[in-house]
Amino acid sequence: MFRRGNRADPQPTEHVSVLLASSGGEFRPESIQSCAQLANRGVVGVLIIARIHGSSLGLPNPGLLPTRKERETAQNRVESAIEELRRLGVPADGQIMMTRNIASSISRVAKARTADNVVVETPTQGFVRGLLEGNFESAIRRKLRGLAVVSSAPRC
C-alpha cells in the first residue's frame, strides 16, 4: 500500500523473466537485445540505480541524495530501454531505486519479482575502482543463492 509521505512507488512484485539492472549507466543495445532473447515471450523488468553517496556524521543527509538532474537522467534511461524492448516485441516495465548498496538492492528486487535471469549492466572501471566497489555480479549471485541466473551484459 502506498503511504502518504513516501517518496517512492511501491515495489512491483509481478514475475519477470529477465531483470535488466544497471548501476546507473546507460543500457547498451547489446544488453537490450540479449534480454529480449532471454525473455522468450516473458516480461523484462528494467531497473536502474540512482546512487546515494554516503552519510554525513553517521546520519542520512539530503545533500548526498541524487540531484533532480540525476533522477531525470535515470528516468530517461529507463524509458528508452523500455521503448526499445517494446519495439522488439517484448513487454517491459521499469523502476528507479535510490540506494547506497547496489548489489543488495538488485538482489532484493530480483527476489521480489521472482526473476528467472538477472542481466547486470556495469560500467567499465579501472583497477582501483574495482577494488573499492567490488564485483557487483558475484555479489548479486551470492545474495540470490541460485534463485536466478546472474550474468553480465554482453560487450562488443
Side-chain angles (χ1 to χ4, degrees):
M1 178 178 192
F2 185 73
R3 287 187 285 256
R4 189 174 161 183
N6 284 356
R7 289 197 220 176
D9 293 335
Q11 169 65 50
T13 56
E14 299 84 27
H15 172 72
V16 292
S17 297
V18 180
L19 178 66
L20 174 60
S22 171
S23 60
E26 283 191 60
F27 296 103
R28 291 189 308 274
E30 303 85 32
S31 58
I32 293 173
Q33 290 281 343
S34 167
C35 287
Q37 291 171 352
L38 274 173
N40 195 19
R41 299 185 189 185
V43 177
V44 173
V46 179
L47 170 68
I48 195 164
I49 302 295
R51 192 148 188 199
I52 298 173
H53 295 286
S55 60
S56 174
L57 302 173
L59 301 171
N61 184 329
L64 301 172
L65 293 173
T67 63
R68 179 180 295 149
K69 184 171 175 106
E70 290 171 335
R71 291 191 307 263
E72 288 172 0
T73 301
Q75 180 74 29
N76 292 337
R77 288 177 177 167
V78 168
E79 288 173 356
S80 66
I82 291 171
E83 188 176 300
E84 181 64 24
L85 284 163
R86 288 184 179 158
R87 190 183 65 74
L88 293 170
V90 178
D93 63 17
Q95 73 183 94
I96 299 169
M97 180 174 273
M98 292 193 299
T99 184
R100 286 183 180 84
N101 192 332
I102 295 171
S104 290
S105 298
I106 292 173
S107 61
R108 193 170 44 244
V109 170
K111 285 178 185 176
R113 303 214 54 188
T114 59
D116 299 325
N117 295 291
V118 179
V119 177
V120 183
E121 179 89 44
T122 56
T124 55
Q125 56 189 12
F127 177 73
V128 174
R129 187 172 194 110
L131 279 176
L132 293 174
E133 291 185 354
N135 185 348
F136 297 128
E137 183 183 337
S138 63
I140 294 166
R141 187 178 293 118
R142 188 172 52 251
K143 289 179 184 296
L144 288 176
R145 294 185 182 141
L147 295 175
V149 177
V150 180
S151 60
S152 60
R155 299 195 186 274
C156 279

